[in-house]
Amino acid sequence: MTRVTTPTVRPGIAERLARMIRLPTVSAELDERGLAPFEEFAALLAELYPRTHAELTLERHTDLGLLFHWAGTGAVTGGPVVLMAHYDVVPVDESDAWTHPPFAGVIADGSVHGRGALDDKGPLIVVLEAVENLLTDGFRPPRDVYLSFGGNEETYGRAAEEIARVLRDRGIVPWLVVDEGGAVVDAPLPFVPGRAAMIGVGEKGVMTLRLSARGDGGHASAPPALTAVRRVARAVDRLGPDTFRPRASTAVLRMLGVLGAQTPGPARHLLRLLAATPPLTARLFATLGGEPAALVRTTVAPTMQSGGTAANVLPSQASATVNLRIALGETTQQTVYRVRRRVRDPLVSVEVMEASEPSPESSTENAQFALLAAALEVSHPGVPAVPYAMMAATDSRHFHRFAPAVYRFAPLDMSNAQRASIHGVDESVEIAALERGERFHRALLERLG
């Protein structure tokens, strides 16, 4: 029988998150800041969650990986549940105008403000809150549970990669993995009203390329027709939004089918039509641009350029860094081939700096997805669980090659403005959303039987 406890949310979740935000765990600035903020964060967790640290086993993997093991009763056979999050954050541009300082952890207007509130200390804290509360109630899960927290997800995620390797080498195959990703959002598509819990059943691959060219240096007063800088700029310009053909993945079609069943009026018929006609869906989403377009094609984003030493000197070399998010169903090899075809310049080298393949798609017709939907009904009654293909990368990509059911969902309510604040300005999370997130994870753990 499923054991459901009486909710016992501890007061002070906002202050606990604020204290986490005040530690600048910026993984991209590890060389400048050192490990101190990360060690302070681990020590803070021990202070804030004493039962979790007393009753779960904690292992450290690399300098930044925290792996908690909660031994289950064994009442349910099969692999464990792995709940993931990361505690590192991206840097802050000091020229940006934040309403509240990004690392002050200000609590105001019913929200907690600061870098990491949504990505990803907010999703991390609701996991720990649920575990601490269940331990207080004397609960023990019917199967093993692991909490996997990485401190360098924003810089590729070596900690999570090592944790995944360790579990795999021990012969531990997770029954369910849940990491950050989708959220509870309003109007999941431009023409779809209402709220939906967007659960990532797959995620795009990631590739970073460096385009570089050499040329004759010299005085800028007599430039050749095609300098190294212009050659690289031309290559970047050729990698426009239409570099890769749009294609509607299974995840996108399933998303449209679920939304169609929930949407009233004429939009219902449009969604059903789109779910049944992948080529039309691909073309329409590509035309919409933004997130819809990113759902159906590999995206290309030039992010950095370099070259030159002085304003009046022609540089002998120039380069540009390009970030690509590879669509489900494509490969890194195909992606590099396509880029080289589009650049069409043998004097521009295309170097792969890092790459990971897109994930396979996890099922929506299994007990694991049903469990997520059941927990969601407790925390967000009436909000449907909608599968989709995640466009960003998560630490869970290190698990999907050997775990059969990997989902990407942070059980927090996020408005469009809040989603835009991730990696941007004025990141914040509502306290009520944190409380609902704790209820989600508590319900998930209580229903593992």
Side-chain angles (χ1 to χ4, degrees), residues 143-329:
R143 67 170 79 230
D144 284 10
V145 174
Y146 287 90
L147 313 181
S148 174
F149 301 147
N152 52 11
E153 189 272 347
E154 301 291 0
T155 54
Y156 189 76
R158 296 294 182 189
E161 183 179 35
E162 178 63 12
I163 288 172
R165 185 196 66 77
V166 167
L167 293 182
R168 186 175 63 247
D169 289 351
R170 292 174 182 173
I172 298 170
V173 179
W175 178 75
L176 169 66
V177 177
V178 183
D179 196 5
E180 63 169 331
V184 178
V185 303
D186 293 319
L189 291 174
F191 47 86
V192 178
R195 301 169 75 213
M198 305 303 294
I199 299 177
V201 297
E203 70 178 57
K204 301 173 81 171
V206 181
M207 177 178 287
T208 301
L209 299 177
R210 178 182 292 153
L211 311 181
S212 56
R214 300 192 67 86
D216 293 332
H219 201 285
S221 61
L226 200 58
T227 63
V229 169
R230 289 188 58 140
R231 190 177 291 277
V232 169
R234 185 177 68 176
V236 170
D237 187 58
R238 287 173 174 171
L239 298 175
D242 63 344
T243 297
F244 292 88
R245 299 183 183 89
R247 187 180 75 87
S249 65
T250 303
V252 170
L253 300 177
R254 283 191 287 178
M255 174 188 73
L256 294 169
V258 173
L259 290 174
Q262 306 287 333
T263 303
R268 175 193 296 266
H269 304 295
L270 173 60
L271 290 167
R272 287 178 172 174
L273 173 64
L274 292 173
T277 52
L280 175 63
T281 298
R283 290 196 298 272
L284 174 62
F285 276 42
T287 301
L288 291 172
E291 287 189 356
L295 282 171
V296 297
R297 65 162 32 131
T298 295
T299 57
V300 185
T303 54
M304 295 188 292
Q305 290 180 292
S306 65
T309 57
N312 62 346
V313 176
L314 296 175
S316 59
Q317 60 182 356
S319 67
T321 300
V322 181
N323 185 263
L324 299 96
R325 302 302 169 112
I326 306 170
L328 274 64

Side-chain angles (χ1 to χ4, degrees), residues 325-343:
R325 302 302 169 112
I326 306 170
L328 274 64
E330 299 181 3
T331 68
T332 55
Q333 186 177 13
Q334 292 170 335
T335 301
V336 175
Y337 176 74
R338 182 73 173 170
V339 167
R340 287 184 171 133
R341 290 261 330 244
R342 289 296 292 249
V343 168

Side-chain angles (χ1 to χ4, degrees), residues 395-409:
D395 273 343
S396 69
R397 69 186 182 278
H398 303 299
F399 282 86
H400 66 227
R401 291 175 181 82
F402 71 99
V406 179
Y407 301 93
R408 300 141 187 96
F409 175 64

